Amino acid sequence: MAARSRSPRTSLVCALLFAGLVTPAHAAPPEPAPFGAGEGRSLLRDIDMPQSHVAGEADAAAVAVNPAAMGFLRGFSGVLAGNYTRAASQRRGGGFGVFVAVPLTLKLFGQKLAENFLSLGAGYQRLCPFGCGRLPGEQSIEVYRDDWVPADLDYNKLTLAAAVPLMRWAPGLSLGISYARMWSEHNLYAQRLHQAELSLAYRPSRYVALGLVGRALNSPNAGADLRIAEPPRPGVISRRQPFELDAEVAVRPIKGSRSLEIGVGARVVPMPNPDPRFHTPVVAPRGRIAAGGKGWRLFGEVERYYVNSINREPQTTDALRAMVGLELDFTHVGVAAGPVLGPSGPDGFGAQGGAFKLRASAERYTTLAQPPLEALRFDVDKYAGDRGAGRLVDALDRYSELRRDRAVVALEVDGSGNGWGEIEEIREAMLRVRARGGKVAVYLRGAGLKDYFLAAAADRVILHPGARLSIVGMRSEIFYYAELLGRLGAKAEFVRAYEYKSRPEQWERTGPTPESDAQRRLLLTDIWNHVVRMVAQGRQTTPEKVVQWIDTAPHTAEQALRGGMIDAIGYADELEGELEKWLTRKVNLRAPSSLPVHDQSFGPGPVIAVVHVEGTISDGESLTVPLVGSVLAGGRTLVRAIDRLREDRRVKAVVVRIDSPGGSVAASDDMARALDRIAEIKPVVISFGDVAASGGYYVATAGSYIFADATTKTGSIGVFRPKVDVSGVLAKFGVHVESIDYGAHAGLYTWFKPYTPEERAAAQAGVDASYQEFIARVAKARKMTIEQVDAVARGRVWSGVRARELGLVDAYGGLREAVAHAREQAKLKPGEGDVRHVPAPPSLGDQISAIFGLKLPSPLGLGESAMVWVLRRLPPSLWLSERPADLALAEETIVVE
């Protein structure tokens, strides 16, 4: 750098202040060199913090380091950081700061519309270039005029930042922006100084993270309040704070884990300020490494900087700053600290000071400490439906895998709305908790057989004192509407394939055919035998004893206790005490945490996608019908989601979770074809929920392996076409329909006249063709002959137990087993890869209901209205379709207790 002439007066002042820097510690703090001796550093730069990087895990320190990284936060984060720098080191990274950041969720009338659509943050820093608390002394005031006050006095910095996560459109990408304002009573160079920043954080994979920050985009001039206009006082060449480009790439070479992380970056200043106080390298490279295990990491960092001296001939010396330290993580707090090493004045290379960072977060981190003894309390009623049951199973497995033999679980049950198959998967999760050494208790506020089936899998069953154990058995109720239609003047004219496809009978007859009656009895017998056997096994008694309990039900709490059906009686507020008496130790019973888990991964890794086919299969979009609560699995919605999975390279395998009685043949075929295209390049595994029948089984033919629960209702391989002649109804009201037809079968689809023999034959031929295509797909998928499939098809419904014996299912198991098998097929290790559920649950109907509070009137104010009661028992495919179409829909079997 070119030398600049200095007056003797200036040299004297420099000498006096340099002498102050090396004064012993017990003397008054030395004043820094006014003309910039020491580290060249922009006034805009933040304090030096440990384990805070441009490309790295995010916490609230990202407000200053890389605002875009806030987009990866899942909950509130706060950081207190500090850096002490010895004056003799001539480093200018000292001070302390407080930072907060929070991701925002968009909600409308209680409905979550967008999660983490924006993250906001703020930070305050007290920057102390050569140690906090320095003020201009009397001697310097005498020597300098006001405009000569040094640029190294303390000053304040307030930063406001925002991040916009773009993961929905560009996985792993987040953009950020920030604005900072500085002020100081004494440091006139920092007074009213401000800066703007733009930033980017990109995590393309779990192995790599990239960060890029453009700092000081406005390149502000310092010293706006100095009294002397440009040129400034002698010795200062320029007050401009130059634009900087801060970039870093970080890699995790060991399977993308935190066990080893290496980062390389640089601070690039294309046009550095030549003034010694602010002069920096054009490229200041840095590197870092961190290694550790669960909840801890050792880290080391090194960075290049300039040390500028001011004598008669100014000199610039390359120097390295190093930091080594330890980072410890606990559930909601963490700390990182270490000494800062580098050139340290006359002492040579040594400790320049130290830095620390203390974190508090709503996110849950992997903790170094052993979690305290506690019991989790789950309200099973809050986990209704197939997805709800899946969340409960996941929660039980995660908790027991973490706590092993220290796990204690209490499940409260009060009339669960889950089906038999879903209950069975929750039971299996409870048994896995016990197999790992944990304890499981179930609290019943009253129970039917299905709830007791769940409770019997626990170590201990506790019943409310005023409740009854109403395990009165199983009952199948089928409603027949032919007589009602006749009284209205209507007549059902369904065509079907074939004799076991019993849904049309509900509209055409007043009772079942012998074939339908036989298949229903077999189905219910299979479920009954399985439930009785599992309850007996859980309660360590015989099936005959369980049948006796059922035949003598309902039971009071005292009778159930005396009979060995339960283990204790108690109120809900006594549950914690009951557990303490049972376990003979203190128990802290709490609900599972709803706080998010900290995302320790750099970016998206491999994914196992779970496609949910829920409800009656229909053409068009998926939705939940308001008031009635019927769920439609829209073919258009699901095909669109499936096609996206095919193109997504992160998705290594697909699990199709089917909880559907079937529906539209066309929509089922569209979904199966979309899955066929995926199966050409990725494994497709099928998981059956409570029911996977007819069109639901048609979709399953795209999979290579099928899992089902013992109580799953499946099969129903058959087709029917609905039609109701309503001409008689219209005639009762004086309405007559006149038609002009061109074409022999022009009236095939109308509901305003009966079939002609020719039309019925044409309709039956169409149904037969659909059936032949159906069984051909099944034969190909299950490696059976057409004749073998036809023998077990023709509309017959089977239990999961029976379906496995017949070759329609490969293995017992729920969604957990299906995901594990998909991982194996994709050559992933156990537990590797995230599980992504698609599509998002339909919420339009819920939002409309929540906004307008729509409810149909209920007669006498009791229960649901008659209209809603009827609609809930009719297949949505019938009353929502525009015209008759082929349906692959299982019968409506209602099992009550």
Side-chain angles (χ1 to χ4, degrees), residues 828-894:
L828 299 177
K829 294 185 177 179
E832 185 180 3
D834 298 328
V835 177
R836 183 201 302 170
H837 296 266
V838 296
S843 59
L844 179 60
D846 293 339
Q847 291 174 9
I848 294 174
S849 178
I851 293 173
F852 297 103
L854 296 175
K855 287 186 178 180
L856 294 179
S858 174
L860 306 178
L862 300 175
E864 60 189 353
S865 72
M867 182 180 295
V868 172
W869 187 90
V870 171
L871 289 177
R872 281 181 175 166
R873 284 154 179 80
L874 301 185
S877 299
L878 292 183
W879 49 268
L880 288 180
S881 60
E882 295 181 359
R883 63 174 188 170
D886 289 355
L887 296 177
L889 188 66
E891 68 171 348
E892 181 71 14
T893 301
I894 305 173

Side-chain angles (χ1 to χ4, degrees), residues 339-359:
V340 179
L341 308 173
S344 188
D347 300 330
F349 192 89
Q352 294 181 335
F356 77 92
K357 182 175 73 172
L358 179 64
R359 168 190 53 79

Side-chain angles (χ1 to χ4, degrees), residues 519-534:
Q519 77 158 350
R520 288 175 190 144
R521 291 182 181 278
L522 180 61
L523 174 66
L524 203 61
T525 298
D526 286 345
I527 297 175
W528 166 264
N529 289 339
H530 178 74
V531 169
V532 168
R533 186 168 60 252
M534 291 298 100

